[in-house]
Amino acid sequence: MGKKQLEVKASLISYDIVIFALVDVLLFVLYKGSGALDLSGVIVQSVLAFVPIFTCRYVGKIYSQIWRYGGIQCYIRLLLTDFVAFLCYCCLERLLPVQHIMLAKLIAFCCMNLLGSLAIRMIYRYAYKCGSMDNYQGRFLRFLLRVFAGGRVSTEPDVDSQKIKIAIVGAGSVGVNLAEELWSNPVSAYIPRCFIDIKKEKIGRNIHNIPVISEDDATAEQLKRFEIQEVVFAVPRMDETGKKKLYSYYSGAGYKVKVYDFPAMQNAGKKRQLRAFDVEELLFRKPLVVTDEKTNAYYRDKVILITGGGGSIGSELCRQIAKMAPRQIIILDIYENGAYDVQQDLKMAYGDGIDLKIEIASVTNRKALEKVFETYHPQIVINAAAHKHVPLMEHNCIEAVENNVFGTLNVVQCCEKFKAERFMMVSTDKAVNPTNVMGATKRMCEMIAMSYSTLGNVKYSATRFGNVLGSAGSVIPLFKRQIMNGGPVTVTDKRIVRYFMTIPEASQLVLQSGAMANNGELFVLDMGKPVKILDLAENMIKLSGAEGIEIIETGLRPGEKLYEELLVRTEELDRTENSLIFIERDEPLSMEQLNKKLDILKKACTRDDEMVKEALMHVVPTFRRPEEVNGLINAGVKPDAAGKAQRNKVAVTA
């Protein structure tokens, strides 16, 4: 034990001895009620009380605690140790041949001594927490600390003057917990100056000496008086409309806005933290939760293979499935680093409680795939392996077809050969009336799954969803890098709108739709309103606190269209038990028709990229060049009408 620790412990003991002595004099000497003690009786009773009290406190490590950070557990420990000491004192006082005192006086002595010890610790902790305030109260508390703590504690006001001063929106339990956490942490970079709330019973009052002001009074002038630099949302259940309104108000006033809550992308096993808004919160919509107990029960005790299991969607599928107590999870991926990261995440979360296997292989390697299927005999196969980057696939058409189309075909045929129970296809909104190679290959994958569903050996389904926030290759990481580099932020066209969902949402949708599938369904999620990419870019710039970041248009990329379709038209779709999930009426191809299309693609892959693109246009009737579709939008036709016109044209051509 260091010299400083001994000094601190000695001072605590000395103050407790002073309190003990004061109580002793008050009750045993000055108090002249019935059963008054003579001098020898006072000395004997003092010793009988002193020994158990300080022995129990020492054994209970009361003097080893750091009381400036002491929480309720520290005070409970002091209560328990003194209760044990009281019992010991009672036994000694009654059993030994000494001058006895009344039980009431004995209880009063122990309680007053305990109260005094608790009081000095509470005052010390309060002085340490609030001694940094630059006012009369703060100066008085610092004086007390200098006198009674021997100058060992430094809480000069300049320490907190360098901290970021924040206003906490929400004076509920979450907001108060945040304030307590910041006050008790001496190395925190933040200091709370006020609460903002809408409840009348709280407005005008103080919580931990922090004033609560109303939302209407939280004007720029008022916040300036509190020297506020950042605003923190600590209202987890705030509706999205209210959150958007407040965010716009405070960010528009020039404040950096943060949130105190769980990480929104993956909150399992996490704790609340002070952070910037997650990317999906930029959309200010409530995340969808689509899995239920029925879904969990379906995957329980099953052997499940996820191809592309190290990717953005595949890895989240693994995390979601791991919660459902499967018998075994097999992660198959060509990229070993991604698969390794998921493996480590799941090992840390579940330890030996999960049977996890990693296989490094490409879905284009039929021999390697068959070895995996033969080894594990998966019951459920989720195919998330695919090339998804639109512009890159426009220039690598052969690779897109080889990996997406024939890789999917390999997985499907392995399911048939090794008698899997279910095949679930991860698709995309870009497969709807595709204008790019990636979308056309995914549409071809849907055709493969639907066609094989007619064989009746394996249950097949496919699930479409929109752009995934935070996934590899998404627009969010690009915007972040551009903002960090000082701009400009590039958007291909300021009119572009996209459907968005989070990685957990997309994964849960795939899992629930797969669990409810009978056979041959093409599931579509009602993703709500589309989002303008321009609005997303502007919100990210505001969140970053950066100034002078310019947003410029670069022109549409190869294969890109101004809007995406999900075909969520309730009059054209079949409903499911989940109000957010629909089934598109898609007539499957016969095996003969499918094989003809696959032969055309296989021959084109022996030639060049242009031949592959032409072949895709032949085998995927809805595949159109982006100029054709975007031309309708530029001519003033609304996206829904443009999509309908395109479908009608395809129907006439067919």
Side-chain angles (χ1 to χ4, degrees), residues 364 387 393 396-404 605 609:
T364 61
H387 290 320
M393 292 307 101
N396 296 274
C397 303
I398 296 175
E399 177 61 23
V401 171
E402 290 282 1
N403 189 76
N404 293 3
C605 285
D609 285 338

Side-chain angles (χ1 to χ4, degrees), residues 315-418:
S315 61
E316 182 62 20
L317 285 169
C318 295
R319 295 186 184 95
Q320 296 285 346
I321 292 170
K323 300 175 186 177
M324 302 175 185
R327 187 188 310 165
Q328 188 177 57
I329 298 178
I330 304 105
I331 299 175
L332 185 143
D333 205 295
I334 189 63
Y335 182 53
E336 71 274 19
N337 290 344
Y340 175 79
D341 289 341
V342 184
Q343 180 189 45
Q344 296 308 305
D345 285 349
L346 294 179
K347 277 187 175 180
M348 284 189 286
Y350 299 96
D352 296 331
I354 187 169
D355 186 355
L356 184 66
K357 304 296 181 184
I358 305 294
E359 294 291 341
I360 304 303
S362 170
V363 290
T364 61
N365 187 337
R366 179 61 177 268
K367 187 175 180 180
L369 267 183
E370 289 188 351
K371 182 180 178 183
V372 171
F373 273 79
E374 187 176 12
T375 302
Y376 302 106
H377 286 280
Q379 296 164 277
I380 300 172
V381 177
I382 305 175
N383 188 40
H387 290 320
K388 304 179 184 73
H389 198 283
V390 171
L392 292 181
M393 292 307 101
E394 289 300 299
H395 296 289
N396 296 274
C397 303
I398 296 175
E399 177 61 23
V401 171
E402 290 282 1
N403 189 76
N404 293 3
V405 177
F406 291 107
T408 297
L409 182 65
N410 284 339
V411 178
V412 165
Q413 290 177 342
C414 283
C415 287
E416 292 289 335
K417 181 176 180 179
F418 293 94

Side-chain angles (χ1 to χ4, degrees), residues 517-533:
N518 291 317
N519 192 25
E521 292 94 343
L522 179 52
F523 292 99
V524 183
L525 175 68
D526 184 352
M527 295 177 62
K529 297 178 181 178
V531 176
K532 287 188 71 174
I533 297 296

Side-chain angles (χ1 to χ4, degrees), residues 158-371:
D158 55 81
V159 173
D160 283 343
S161 66
Q162 300 176 8
K163 293 187 175 184
I164 299 170
K165 300 168 182 65
I166 63 171
I168 300 175
V169 178
S173 59
V174 176
V176 172
N177 286 341
L178 170 61
E180 289 178 342
E181 185 177 316
L182 296 177
W183 272 119
S184 61
N185 185 0
V187 298
S188 169
Y190 301 90
I191 182 169
R193 281 299 180 91
C194 68
F195 288 105
I196 300 171
D197 208 288
I198 59 174
K199 293 186 178 178
K200 293 181 180 179
E201 63 269 22
K202 295 180 181 179
I203 295 169
R205 304 175 72 178
N206 288 344
I207 300 176
H208 296 315
N209 213 37
I210 304 171
V212 182
I213 63 176
S214 72
E215 194 175 282
D216 294 334
D217 292 336
T219 61
E221 294 76 14
Q222 178 77 332
L223 294 180
K224 191 174 181 180
R225 293 192 192 101
F226 286 106
E227 301 178 310
I228 299 301
Q229 296 166 280
E230 295 185 8
V231 176
V232 177
F233 287 12
V235 190
R237 288 181 290 276
M238 182 185 293
D239 65 89
E240 306 310 312
T241 303
K243 188 183 292 186
K244 184 173 185 178
K245 178 184 174 183
L246 289 179
Y247 170 78
S248 300
Y249 174 76
Y250 292 119
S251 61
Y255 294 104
K256 196 169 185 179
V257 183
K258 292 185 176 178
V259 63
Y260 179 67
D261 205 355
F262 299 104
M265 294 293 281
Q266 296 166 6
N267 59 18
K270 304 286 185 180
K271 60 172 287 188
R272 280 193 172 94
Q273 57 185 246
L274 184 59
R275 57 175 175 77
F277 278 88
D278 280 325
V279 288
E280 66 271 33
E281 291 172 302
L282 296 175
L283 305 178
F284 295 107
R285 66 176 181 82
K286 188 176 181 179
L288 304 172
V289 178
V290 294
T291 52
D292 53 18
E293 180 52 37
K294 185 177 178 181
T295 303
N296 295 344
Y298 178 75
Y299 295 96
R300 193 172 297 133
D301 201 34
K302 297 285 177 62
V303 179
I304 305 169
L305 168 67
I306 301 102
T307 69
S312 304
I313 296 296
S315 61
E316 182 62 20
L317 285 169
C318 295
R319 295 186 184 95
Q320 296 285 346
I321 292 170
K323 300 175 186 177
M324 302 175 185
R327 187 188 310 165
Q328 188 177 57
I329 298 178
I330 304 105
I331 299 175
L332 185 143
D333 205 295
I334 189 63
Y335 182 53
E336 71 274 19
N337 290 344
Y340 175 79
D341 289 341
V342 184
Q343 180 189 45
Q344 296 308 305
D345 285 349
L346 294 179
K347 277 187 175 180
M348 284 189 286
Y350 299 96
D352 296 331
I354 187 169
D355 186 355
L356 184 66
K357 304 296 181 184
I358 305 294
E359 294 291 341
I360 304 303
S362 170
V363 290
T364 61
N365 187 337
R366 179 61 177 268
K367 187 175 180 180
L369 267 183
E370 289 188 351
K371 182 180 178 183

